[in-house]
Amino acid sequence: MSRGRRGKRVSTEETPAVLPVDCRVSAVVTVLNEEATLPLVLRELGKLPLEEIVVVLNGCTDSSLSIARSFPQVTAVHYAEKLGHDVGRSIGAKLTKSDIVLFVDSDIPIGADRLKRFIAAIAQGADVALNDISPFLPLFRDWDEVTKMKAFLNLSLGRPDLRANSMTCVPHAMSRRAIERIGSGMLAVPPKAQAAVIEAGLRIRTAAAVNVLQTNRVRNSNVGKDNEVSRLIIGDHIEALKYAMNAGGSRLTNDDSGRRRHVVMRRQL
Amino acid sequence: MNRLLISGIRSRSGRVGGSSQSSDAGGARGRVVRRRGPSGRKLSRPASSVHRTRPVGETERSDSIPLVSVIIPVMNERRTIRRVIREAFAVHPSTEVIVVANGTRDGSSVIAKKAGARVIEYAEPLGHDVGRAVGAEAARGDVLLFIDGDMVISASRLRPFVAAVLREGVDVALNDYSGPTAKPIVHSVVLAKHALNAMLQRPDLNGTSMTAVPHALSRSALTAVGAESLAVPPLAHAKAIRLGLRVKAVHHVNVGKLNPPRRERERMKPLEYVIVGDHLEALEWVLGRGDDRCGFVDQTRKRHYAR
């Protein structure tokens, strides 16, 4: 995505980073050959009062596993094969029993001060604390299809205020209550999890703004307008909409009772 | 709801309609709303010039099947309807103009009849876009052009849509208008249109849509999507694309009259809900024909590990 400098900066509702003393907090990190950035990610997480750090390694052929094991607090889970997008998050969420779970990726080191805000938001009563990417988005005309789908899903679910913020994006944090309510398996398709969270009436909001658009590692599969990852995420949003429509009806809450369709039907008979 | 009357063809249309409303209509006559064509010329002309702007051959047209049907849903549009109809007739020598008047209380339907349109009249409002479907059912032309009664668009700017269908084999000729997008937050309708095209694997269409006028349909496109689906324009749009019709943005007409962007957390307007719902209904139709992801696969994801 091109980065617009002309995009108006949108103020973010920042949560004060006051960490709870009576909550157990853990982090879930998914890893696919990230030996360069994994130590930086784990070092930042080490500054937080975490009960455990669940590192889900999949398809790693580099030294990521030994790096993970060298850090205290780390519970490493290792799969020889690639699990595919977001499946690792679901596995990690199932393994930890903490009250608050912070989800991060191993390719984007984020300072502990920033990460604290997501944990704090859950401690203050939110069920899902999202990363607010609004300040970093370009003008709409330069949005990619994935960003449009994120915003459309929120709009359809009656939460246009969430804009293009999504559980597809890290970092984000969840309450144990939310994970148990929707089921950890849902997290393998993050937009579907988001639909389930909103449908269940759980509290979802943004907690801090971290620019992951610039720092996301460029891979062969995520470059170009119609790349593989982008197609996967668009599909995730369609699946999320279908899930929501199965539960809430084909128009969700978007009523058109003023429309007299029977007029056309009757004329056709 | 009762369908009150369908007026005759234009040659006798001047005699149809209640006289009580004609005085209202007369009041609108001569009022000039300045709208400019692409060349900057004023589109509105004095009423006396109306007949001169009509193409020749209109008498035969009344009796034979027209080539072009222009469909105009109308509620209370007496300020613009006469000029809208005049431009519609000037689109092609063989044109019928169908006005679907619904819930009209300002004499619009009387003006429409006097201007030579076939008027299909309903006492109560039909709701958003239902008039298009009603008009499409009544249409006899090979090309159907859809415009609105409240917006005067010159014939020269309407012809490209008809020409694309008649001469270029386009089935659905869309207005190449994607809404105001040079901003960080767009109107919900603009967002929905872009998202639907993305889901239909036609991101090249940007925010163009059958929701927006003007647009033209071939007779075969109408048969394929069904007239009733035109009451939910995004549904007709999705059907046209998924049924393999040639859907193309052919010409830009700036119909930008959308509401300004909402402030955060401000409530949406009722019409926005209707249109967002329309887009979901369109998606549901697409999903009903195939897989749960509209062809956007995730084969690399090993879901059985996630429980």
Side-chain angles (χ1 to χ4, degrees), chain B residues 249-277:
Chain B
V250 298
H251 182 66
H252 175 82
V253 177
N254 191 343
V255 287
K257 287 175 51 168
L258 291 169
N259 304 315
R262 286 160 287 113
R263 291 188 198 286
E264 201 172 0
R265 292 184 192 277
E266 189 181 314
R267 293 254 296 287
M268 274 161 66
K269 294 185 173 61
L271 184 57
E272 290 181 61
Y273 288 106
V274 171
I275 298 177
V276 171

PDB file of all heavy atoms in Angstrom, chain B residues 249-277:
ATOM      1  N   ALA B 249     -17.328   0.354 -16.855  1.00  0.00           N
ATOM      2  CA  ALA B 249     -17.516   1.787 -16.572  1.00  0.00           C
ATOM      3  C   ALA B 249     -17.169   2.541 -17.845  1.00  0.00           C
ATOM      4  O   ALA B 249     -16.026   2.520 -18.285  1.00  0.00           O
ATOM      5  CB  ALA B 249     -16.617   2.214 -15.418  1.00  0.00           C
ATOM      6  N   VAL B 250     -18.170   3.164 -18.462  1.00  0.00           N
ATOM      7  CA  VAL B 250     -17.960   3.676 -19.818  1.00  0.00           C
ATOM      8  C   VAL B 250     -17.780   5.187 -19.902  1.00  0.00           C
ATOM      9  O   VAL B 250     -17.163   5.689 -20.831  1.00  0.00           O
ATOM     10  CB  VAL B 250     -19.126   3.274 -20.758  1.00  0.00           C
ATOM     11  CG1 VAL B 250     -19.212   1.765 -20.864  1.00  0.00           C
ATOM     12  CG2 VAL B 250     -20.451   3.868 -20.311  1.00  0.00           C
ATOM     13  N   HIS B 251     -18.314   5.927 -18.957  1.00  0.00           N
ATOM     14  CA  HIS B 251     -18.313   7.372 -19.107  1.00  0.00           C
ATOM     15  C   HIS B 251     -18.497   8.005 -17.738  1.00  0.00           C
ATOM     16  O   HIS B 251     -19.243   7.498 -16.915  1.00  0.00           O
ATOM     17  CB  HIS B 251     -19.470   7.773 -20.052  1.00  0.00           C
ATOM     18  CG  HIS B 251     -19.545   9.237 -20.332  1.00  0.00           C
ATOM     19  ND1 HIS B 251     -18.574   9.914 -21.030  1.00  0.00           N
ATOM     20  CD2 HIS B 251     -20.489  10.157 -20.009  1.00  0.00           C
ATOM     21  CE1 HIS B 251     -18.916  11.193 -21.135  1.00  0.00           C
ATOM     22  NE2 HIS B 251     -20.069  11.371 -20.511  1.00  0.00           N
ATOM     23  N   HIS B 252     -17.796   9.117 -17.509  1.00  0.00           N
ATOM     24  CA  HIS B 252     -17.849   9.752 -16.197  1.00  0.00           C
ATOM     25  C   HIS B 252     -18.875  10.885 -16.166  1.00  0.00           C
ATOM     26  O   HIS B 252     -18.794  11.816 -16.950  1.00  0.00           O
ATOM     27  CB  HIS B 252     -16.468  10.307 -15.834  1.00  0.00           C
ATOM     28  CG  HIS B 252     -16.444  11.080 -14.546  1.00  0.00           C
ATOM     29  ND1 HIS B 252     -16.356  10.475 -13.313  1.00  0.00           N
ATOM     30  CD2 HIS B 252     -16.524  12.405 -14.304  1.00  0.00           C
ATOM     31  CE1 HIS B 252     -16.372  11.396 -12.370  1.00  0.00           C
ATOM     32  NE2 HIS B 252     -16.470  12.578 -12.941  1.00  0.00           N
ATOM     33  N   VAL B 253     -19.832  10.755 -15.288  1.00  0.00           N
ATOM     34  CA  VAL B 253     -20.748  11.865 -15.010  1.00  0.00           C
ATOM     35  C   VAL B 253     -20.680  12.118 -13.513  1.00  0.00           C
ATOM     36  O   VAL B 253     -20.950  11.222 -12.710  1.00  0.00           O
ATOM     37  CB  VAL B 253     -22.208  11.527 -15.412  1.00  0.00           C
ATOM     38  CG1 VAL B 253     -23.130  12.678 -15.033  1.00  0.00           C
ATOM     39  CG2 VAL B 253     -22.309  11.232 -16.889  1.00  0.00           C
ATOM     40  N   ASN B 254     -20.285  13.316 -13.135  1.00  0.00           N
ATOM     41  CA  ASN B 254     -20.126  13.593 -11.708  1.00  0.00           C
ATOM     42  C   ASN B 254     -21.484  13.827 -11.056  1.00  0.00           C
ATOM     43  O   ASN B 254     -22.058  14.892 -11.129  1.00  0.00           O
ATOM     44  CB  ASN B 254     -19.229  14.808 -11.509  1.00  0.00           C
ATOM     45  CG  ASN B 254     -18.835  14.964 -10.047  1.00  0.00           C
ATOM     46  OD1 ASN B 254     -19.468  14.374  -9.160  1.00  0.00           O
ATOM     47  ND2 ASN B 254     -17.808  15.732  -9.791  1.00  0.00           N
ATOM     48  N   VAL B 255     -21.985  12.791 -10.456  1.00  0.00           N
ATOM     49  CA  VAL B 255     -23.282  12.889  -9.779  1.00  0.00           C
ATOM     50  C   VAL B 255     -23.075  13.074  -8.277  1.00  0.00           C
ATOM     51  O   VAL B 255     -23.931  12.731  -7.476  1.00  0.00           O
ATOM     52  CB  VAL B 255     -24.157  11.640 -10.044  1.00  0.00           C
ATOM     53  CG1 VAL B 255     -24.668  11.655 -11.467  1.00  0.00           C
ATOM     54  CG2 VAL B 255     -23.390  10.361  -9.761  1.00  0.00           C
ATOM     55  N   GLY B 256     -21.903  13.596  -7.938  1.00  0.00           N
ATOM     56  CA  GLY B 256     -21.533  13.688  -6.522  1.00  0.00           C
ATOM     57  C   GLY B 256     -22.467  14.534  -5.706  1.00  0.00           C
ATOM     58  O   GLY B 256     -22.295  15.732  -5.576  1.00  0.00           O
ATOM     59  N   LYS B 257     -23.447  13.884  -5.174  1.00  0.00           N
ATOM     60  CA  LYS B 257     -24.375  14.595  -4.306  1.00  0.00           C
ATOM     61  C   LYS B 257     -24.484  13.861  -2.979  1.00  0.00           C
ATOM     62  O   LYS B 257     -25.441  14.006  -2.253  1.00  0.00           O
ATOM     63  CB  LYS B 257     -25.756  14.680  -4.969  1.00  0.00           C
ATOM     64  CG  LYS B 257     -25.779  15.663  -6.129  1.00  0.00           C
ATOM     65  CD  LYS B 257     -27.094  15.654  -6.844  1.00  0.00           C
ATOM     66  CE  LYS B 257     -28.261  15.809  -5.920  1.00  0.00           C
ATOM     67  NZ  LYS B 257     -29.513  16.074  -6.603  1.00  0.00           N
ATOM     68  N   LEU B 258     -23.469  13.051  -2.731  1.00  0.00           N
ATOM     69  CA  LEU B 258     -23.509  12.264  -1.501  1.00  0.00           C
ATOM     70  C   LEU B 258     -23.343  13.168  -0.296  1.00  0.00           C
ATOM     71  O   LEU B 258     -22.816  14.262  -0.365  1.00  0.00           O
ATOM     72  CB  LEU B 258     -22.400  11.219  -1.526  1.00  0.00           C
ATOM     73  CG  LEU B 258     -22.609  10.099  -2.543  1.00  0.00           C
ATOM     74  CD1 LEU B 258     -21.353   9.281  -2.675  1.00  0.00           C
ATOM     75  CD2 LEU B 258     -23.766   9.233  -2.129  1.00  0.00           C
ATOM     76  N   ASN B 259     -23.802  12.666   0.806  1.00  0.00           N
ATOM     77  CA  ASN B 259     -23.718  13.427   2.041  1.00  0.00           C
ATOM     78  C   ASN B 259     -22.265  13.562   2.478  1.00  0.00           C
ATOM     79  O   ASN B 259     -21.447  12.717   2.185  1.00  0.00           O
ATOM     80  CB  ASN B 259     -24.506  12.701   3.127  1.00  0.00           C
ATOM     81  CG  ASN B 259     -25.923  12.474   2.701  1.00  0.00           C
ATOM     82  OD1 ASN B 259     -26.564  13.366   2.179  1.00  0.00           O
ATOM     83  ND2 ASN B 259     -26.409  11.250   2.884  1.00  0.00           N
ATOM     84  N   PRO B 260     -21.953  14.624   3.192  1.00  0.00           N
ATOM     85  CA  PRO B 260     -20.596  14.761   3.708  1.00  0.00           C
ATOM     86  C   PRO B 260     -20.289  13.644   4.693  1.00  0.00           C
ATOM     87  O   PRO B 260     -21.204  13.045   5.253  1.00  0.00           O
ATOM     88  CB  PRO B 260     -20.613  16.127   4.409  1.00  0.00           C
ATOM     89  CG  PRO B 260     -22.047  16.416   4.656  1.00  0.00           C
ATOM     90  CD  PRO B 260     -22.817  15.724   3.594  1.00  0.00           C
ATOM     91  N   PRO B 261     -19.003  13.341   4.874  1.00  0.00           N
ATOM     92  CA  PRO B 261     -18.649  12.223   5.759  1.00  0.00           C
ATOM     93  C   PRO B 261     -19.111  12.471   7.185  1.00  0.00           C
ATOM     94  O   PRO B 261     -19.150  13.591   7.650  1.00  0.00           O
ATOM     95  CB  PRO B 261     -17.120  12.170   5.682  1.00  0.00           C
ATOM     96  CG  PRO B 261     -16.716  13.507   5.170  1.00  0.00           C
ATOM     97  CD  PRO B 261     -17.836  14.002   4.320  1.00  0.00           C
ATOM     98  N   ARG B 262     -19.482  11.388   7.807  1.00  0.00           N
ATOM     99  CA  ARG B 262     -19.954  11.479   9.183  1.00  0.00           C
ATOM    100  C   ARG B 262     -18.798  11.748  10.132  1.00  0.00           C
ATOM    101  O   ARG B 262     -17.680  11.345   9.887  1.00  0.00           O
ATOM    102  CB  ARG B 262     -20.577  10.148   9.589  1.00  0.00           C
ATOM    103  CG  ARG B 262     -21.915   9.876   9.002  1.00  0.00           C
ATOM    104  CD  ARG B 262     -22.197   8.395   9.053  1.00  0.00           C
ATOM    105  NE  ARG B 262     -21.407   7.682   8.071  1.00  0.00           N
ATOM    106  CZ  ARG B 262     -20.466   6.852   8.360  1.00  0.00           C
ATOM    107  NH1 ARG B 262     -20.158   6.580   9.585  1.00  0.00           N
ATOM    108  NH2 ARG B 262     -19.802   6.244   7.406  1.00  0.00           N
ATOM    109  N   ARG B 263     -19.104  12.394  11.199  1.00  0.00           N
ATOM    110  CA  ARG B 263     -18.123  12.453  12.273  1.00  0.00           C
ATOM    111  C   ARG B 263     -18.152  11.107  12.976  1.00  0.00           C
ATOM    112  O   ARG B 263     -19.145  10.396  12.945  1.00  0.00           O
ATOM    113  CB  ARG B 263     -18.485  13.547  13.271  1.00  0.00           C
ATOM    114  CG  ARG B 263     -18.315  14.904  12.687  1.00  0.00           C
ATOM    115  CD  ARG B 263     -18.502  15.965  13.769  1.00  0.00           C
ATOM    116  NE  ARG B 263     -18.761  17.250  13.155  1.00  0.00           N
ATOM    117  CZ  ARG B 263     -17.841  17.979  12.548  1.00  0.00           C
ATOM    118  NH1 ARG B 263     -16.603  17.553  12.466  1.00  0.00           N
ATOM    119  NH2 ARG B 263     -18.146  19.136  12.002  1.00  0.00           N
ATOM    120  N   GLU B 264     -17.036  10.803  13.605  1.00  0.00           N
ATOM    121  CA  GLU B 264     -16.932   9.499  14.240  1.00  0.00           C
ATOM    122  C   GLU B 264     -18.054   9.287  15.250  1.00  0.00           C
ATOM    123  O   GLU B 264     -18.404  10.186  15.999  1.00  0.00           O
ATOM    124  CB  GLU B 264     -15.576   9.384  14.930  1.00  0.00           C
ATOM    125  CG  GLU B 264     -15.186   7.949  15.164  1.00  0.00           C
ATOM    126  CD  GLU B 264     -13.766   7.833  15.667  1.00  0.00           C
ATOM    127  OE1 GLU B 264     -13.122   8.875  15.822  1.00  0.00           O
ATOM    128  OE2 GLU B 264     -13.335   6.714  15.897  1.00  0.00           O
ATOM    129  N   ARG B 265     -18.586   8.096  15.234  1.00  0.00           N
ATOM    130  CA  ARG B 265     -19.637   7.653  16.169  1.00  0.00           C
ATOM    131  C   ARG B 265     -20.973   8.346  15.931  1.00  0.00           C
ATOM    132  O   ARG B 265     -21.932   8.137  16.660  1.00  0.00           O
ATOM    133  CB  ARG B 265     -19.207   7.847  17.628  1.00  0.00           C
ATOM    134  CG  ARG B 265     -18.069   6.912  18.018  1.00  0.00           C
ATOM    135  CD  ARG B 265     -17.735   7.062  19.494  1.00  0.00           C
ATOM    136  NE  ARG B 265     -16.475   6.379  19.796  1.00  0.00           N
ATOM    137  CZ  ARG B 265     -16.383   5.080  20.029  1.00  0.00           C
ATOM    138  NH1 ARG B 265     -17.453   4.334  20.016  1.00  0.00           N
ATOM    139  NH2 ARG B 265     -15.230   4.528  20.286  1.00  0.00           N
ATOM    140  N   GLU B 266     -21.047   9.202  14.941  1.00  0.00           N
ATOM    141  CA  GLU B 266     -22.335   9.804  14.628  1.00  0.00           C
ATOM    142  C   GLU B 266     -23.212   8.721  14.007  1.00  0.00           C
ATOM    143  O   GLU B 266     -22.743   7.857  13.290  1.00  0.00           O
ATOM    144  CB  GLU B 266     -22.138  10.955  13.645  1.00  0.00           C
ATOM    145  CG  GLU B 266     -23.379  11.773  13.424  1.00  0.00           C
ATOM    146  CD  GLU B 266     -23.126  12.889  12.416  1.00  0.00           C
ATOM    147  OE1 GLU B 266     -22.089  13.565  12.553  1.00  0.00           O
ATOM    148  OE2 GLU B 266     -23.946  13.046  11.515  1.00  0.00           O
ATOM    149  N   ARG B 267     -24.501   8.807  14.256  1.00  0.00           N
ATOM    150  CA  ARG B 267     -25.399   7.787  13.715  1.00  0.00           C
ATOM    151  C   ARG B 267     -25.468   7.860  12.207  1.00  0.00           C
ATOM    152  O   ARG B 267     -25.402   8.929  11.607  1.00  0.00           O
ATOM    153  CB  ARG B 267     -26.800   7.985  14.290  1.00  0.00           C
ATOM    154  CG  ARG B 267     -26.889   7.723  15.785  1.00  0.00           C
ATOM    155  CD  ARG B 267     -27.583   6.434  16.116  1.00  0.00           C
ATOM    156  NE  ARG B 267     -28.980   6.428  15.708  1.00  0.00           N
ATOM    157  CZ  ARG B 267     -29.945   7.107  16.326  1.00  0.00           C
ATOM    158  NH1 ARG B 267     -29.658   7.921  17.313  1.00  0.00           N
ATOM    159  NH2 ARG B 267     -31.187   6.989  15.931  1.00  0.00           N
ATOM    160  N   MET B 268     -25.647   6.722  11.565  1.00  0.00           N
ATOM    161  CA  MET B 268     -25.801   6.691  10.116  1.00  0.00           C
ATOM    162  C   MET B 268     -27.225   7.092   9.744  1.00  0.00           C
ATOM    163  O   MET B 268     -28.157   6.907  10.498  1.00  0.00           O
ATOM    164  CB  MET B 268     -25.515   5.278   9.599  1.00  0.00           C
ATOM    165  CG  MET B 268     -24.050   5.004   9.336  1.00  0.00           C
ATOM    166  SD  MET B 268     -23.716   3.245   9.281  1.00  0.00           S
ATOM    167  CE  MET B 268     -24.625   2.756   7.840  1.00  0.00           C
ATOM    168  N   LYS B 269     -27.357   7.623   8.548  1.00  0.00           N
ATOM    169  CA  LYS B 269     -28.683   7.983   8.068  1.00  0.00           C
ATOM    170  C   LYS B 269     -29.411   6.732   7.573  1.00  0.00           C
ATOM    171  O   LYS B 269     -28.761   5.781   7.126  1.00  0.00           O
ATOM    172  CB  LYS B 269     -28.560   8.995   6.937  1.00  0.00           C
ATOM    173  CG  LYS B 269     -27.996  10.317   7.419  1.00  0.00           C
ATOM    174  CD  LYS B 269     -28.014  11.339   6.300  1.00  0.00           C
ATOM    175  CE  LYS B 269     -27.612  12.704   6.826  1.00  0.00           C
ATOM    176  NZ  LYS B 269     -26.264  12.719   7.385  1.00  0.00           N
ATOM    177  N   PRO B 270     -30.758   6.729   7.639  1.00  0.00           N
ATOM    178  CA  PRO B 270     -31.506   5.513   7.287  1.00  0.00           C
ATOM    179  C   PRO B 270     -31.161   4.973   5.896  1.00  0.00           C
ATOM    180  O   PRO B 270     -31.050   3.774   5.707  1.00  0.00           O
ATOM    181  CB  PRO B 270     -32.963   5.985   7.349  1.00  0.00           C
ATOM    182  CG  PRO B 270     -32.951   7.148   8.268  1.00  0.00           C
ATOM    183  CD  PRO B 270     -31.613   7.801   8.145  1.00  0.00           C
ATOM    184  N   LEU B 271     -30.984   5.883   4.927  1.00  0.00           N
ATOM    185  CA  LEU B 271     -30.683   5.429   3.568  1.00  0.00           C
ATOM    186  C   LEU B 271     -29.356   4.686   3.504  1.00  0.00           C
ATOM    187  O   LEU B 271     -29.195   3.749   2.728  1.00  0.00           O
ATOM    188  CB  LEU B 271     -30.668   6.633   2.616  1.00  0.00           C
ATOM    189  CG  LEU B 271     -30.464   6.288   1.142  1.00  0.00           C
ATOM    190  CD1 LEU B 271     -31.537   5.317   0.664  1.00  0.00           C
ATOM    191  CD2 LEU B 271     -30.477   7.548   0.296  1.00  0.00           C
ATOM    192  N   GLU B 272     -28.418   5.083   4.359  1.00  0.00           N
ATOM    193  CA  GLU B 272     -27.134   4.385   4.376  1.00  0.00           C
ATOM    194  C   GLU B 272     -27.321   2.935   4.796  1.00  0.00           C
ATOM    195  O   GLU B 272     -26.698   2.031   4.243  1.00  0.00           O
ATOM    196  CB  GLU B 272     -26.161   5.076   5.336  1.00  0.00           C
ATOM    197  CG  GLU B 272     -25.686   6.427   4.847  1.00  0.00           C
ATOM    198  CD  GLU B 272     -24.714   7.058   5.824  1.00  0.00           C
ATOM    199  OE1 GLU B 272     -23.650   6.465   6.065  1.00  0.00           O
ATOM    200  OE2 GLU B 272     -25.042   8.131   6.358  1.00  0.00           O
ATOM    201  N   TYR B 273     -28.183   2.716   5.771  1.00  0.00           N
ATOM    202  CA  TYR B 273     -28.443   1.342   6.210  1.00  0.00           C
ATOM    203  C   TYR B 273     -29.046   0.521   5.069  1.00  0.00           C
ATOM    204  O   TYR B 273     -28.698  -0.643   4.868  1.00  0.00           O
ATOM    205  CB  TYR B 273     -29.394   1.318   7.417  1.00  0.00           C
ATOM    206  CG  TYR B 273     -28.766   1.790   8.698  1.00  0.00           C
ATOM    207  CD1 TYR B 273     -29.073   3.032   9.225  1.00  0.00           C
ATOM    208  CD2 TYR B 273     -27.846   0.988   9.358  1.00  0.00           C
ATOM    209  CE1 TYR B 273     -28.490   3.464  10.405  1.00  0.00           C
ATOM    210  CE2 TYR B 273     -27.258   1.406  10.544  1.00  0.00           C
ATOM    211  CZ  TYR B 273     -27.587   2.649  11.066  1.00  0.00           C
ATOM    212  OH  TYR B 273     -27.009   3.071  12.227  1.00  0.00           O
ATOM    213  N   VAL B 274     -29.972   1.144   4.339  1.00  0.00           N
ATOM    214  CA  VAL B 274     -30.592   0.442   3.216  1.00  0.00           C
ATOM    215  C   VAL B 274     -29.511   0.006   2.224  1.00  0.00           C
ATOM    216  O   VAL B 274     -29.471  -1.147   1.784  1.00  0.00           O
ATOM    217  CB  VAL B 274     -31.638   1.346   2.517  1.00  0.00           C
ATOM    218  CG1 VAL B 274     -32.111   0.699   1.218  1.00  0.00           C
ATOM    219  CG2 VAL B 274     -32.819   1.612   3.432  1.00  0.00           C
ATOM    220  N   ILE B 275     -28.634   0.919   1.890  1.00  0.00           N
ATOM    221  CA  ILE B 275     -27.666   0.623   0.838  1.00  0.00           C
ATOM    222  C   ILE B 275     -26.592  -0.354   1.317  1.00  0.00           C
ATOM    223  O   ILE B 275     -26.180  -1.247   0.585  1.00  0.00           O
ATOM    224  CB  ILE B 275     -27.078   1.936   0.274  1.00  0.00           C
ATOM    225  CG1 ILE B 275     -28.216   2.756  -0.360  1.00  0.00           C
ATOM    226  CG2 ILE B 275     -25.993   1.652  -0.764  1.00  0.00           C
ATOM    227  CD1 ILE B 275     -27.811   4.100  -0.902  1.00  0.00           C
ATOM    228  N   VAL B 276     -26.160  -0.227   2.566  1.00  0.00           N
ATOM    229  CA  VAL B 276     -25.206  -1.211   3.097  1.00  0.00           C
ATOM    230  C   VAL B 276     -25.862  -2.591   3.112  1.00  0.00           C
ATOM    231  O   VAL B 276     -25.259  -3.590   2.695  1.00  0.00           O
ATOM    232  CB  VAL B 276     -24.730  -0.808   4.510  1.00  0.00           C
ATOM    233  CG1 VAL B 276     -23.927  -1.939   5.155  1.00  0.00           C
ATOM    234  CG2 VAL B 276     -23.882   0.465   4.442  1.00  0.00           C
ATOM    235  N   GLY B 277     -27.120  -2.647   3.533  1.00  0.00           N
ATOM    236  CA  GLY B 277     -27.853  -3.914   3.519  1.00  0.00           C
ATOM    237  C   GLY B 277     -27.965  -4.487   2.113  1.00  0.00           C
ATOM    238  O   GLY B 277     -27.860  -5.698   1.913  1.00  0.00           O
TER     239      GLY B 277
END
